[in-house]
């Protein structure tokens, strides 16, 4: 991000960002919290009474596939995701 910020005055660079809602089941939630916090900007997150974790992540659109792969790997395919905004 710092590099892009420095280059913007010289080159017209912009990145589309998307917001994705993620729900991680309780058995994978503790690990997912740390992993996703470093992979995305978490705008909101909330622990549910059943132990699951819900977050709204903001990511560059170009890494959407990698983000989904990470979520799937962490949750062993049990996570739910939904695009909120492009």
């Amino acid at each position: 991000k710092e590099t892009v910020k420095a280059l913007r005055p010289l080159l017209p660079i912009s990145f589309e960002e998307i917001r994705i809602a993620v729900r991680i089941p309780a058995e994978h939630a503790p690990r997912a919290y740390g992993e996703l916090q470093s992979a995305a900007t978490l705008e909101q997150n909330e622990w549910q009474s059943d132990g699951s974790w819900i977050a709204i992540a903001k990511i560059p659109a170009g890494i959407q596939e990698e983000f989904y792969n990470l979520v799937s790997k962490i949750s062993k395919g049990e996570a739910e995701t939904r695009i909120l905004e492009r």
Side-chain angles (χ1 to χ4, degrees):
K1 286 187 177 184
E2 298 297 321
T3 304
V4 171
K5 197 181 279 188
L7 289 174
R8 274 203 181 130
L10 304 171
L11 301 169
I13 299 173
S14 67
F15 290 103
E16 179 184 358
E17 292 187 319
I18 58 173
R19 294 173 66 229
I20 301 174
V22 181
R23 182 187 171 281
I24 308 286
E27 58 270 16
H28 309 293
R31 178 174 175 220
Y33 179 80
E35 296 259 356
L36 295 183
Q37 192 171 31
S38 45
T41 301
L42 299 181
E43 293 185 335
Q44 292 179 296
N45 68 82
E46 183 178 305
W47 293 93
Q48 303 298 296
S49 60
D50 65 354
S52 64
W53 178 63
I54 296 175
I56 297 178
K58 189 174 189 179
I59 62 167
I63 67 161
Q64 185 175 349
E65 185 175 337
E66 289 88 355
F67 181 78
Y68 286 139
N69 289 339
L70 176 63
V71 169
S72 182
K73 179 182 167 190
I74 293 167
S75 69
K76 297 185 168 75
E78 296 177 14
E80 297 173 32
T81 60
R82 183 174 53 157
I83 295 176
L84 300 176
E85 184 180 295
R86 282 193 178 265

